[in-house]
Amino acid sequence: MASPTSWEFCKEVETKILWVNICTENLEGAAISINKWWKTRYPVYKIRIVSKKEFDLVKMQAEKKEQ
């Protein structure tokens, strides 16, 4: 099973989207953990698995909106 640090997320409240970047080679273990976490914690959100580059862009945009 993947550890909690094998992926990172950012959420957009207004669009109800979770942006997730997987930071490990063990995609199967991370996918199982993410799916369980997502369905129990954020069931009304859509999920998007993205690359590190795209994740960083989304995260920067979210930080700008907060300021």
Side-chain angles (χ1 to χ4, degrees), residues 4-49:
T5 58
S6 63
W7 47 278
E8 56 187 348
F9 79 99
C10 179
K11 68 179 180 177
E12 287 183 13
V13 176
E14 59 276 349
T15 58
K16 299 255 187 255
I17 295 177
L18 288 173
W19 298 92
V20 179
N21 176 45
I22 299 175
C23 310
T24 183
E25 296 294 321
N26 181 7
L27 299 179
E28 183 178 332
I32 291 168
S33 296
I34 290 168
N35 195 39
K36 182 178 179 182
W37 164 82
W38 165 49
K39 289 189 178 200
T40 57
R41 189 128 184 235
Y42 298 101
V44 297
Y45 280 69
K46 295 178 182 174
I47 192 166
R48 301 289 182 257
I49 307 294

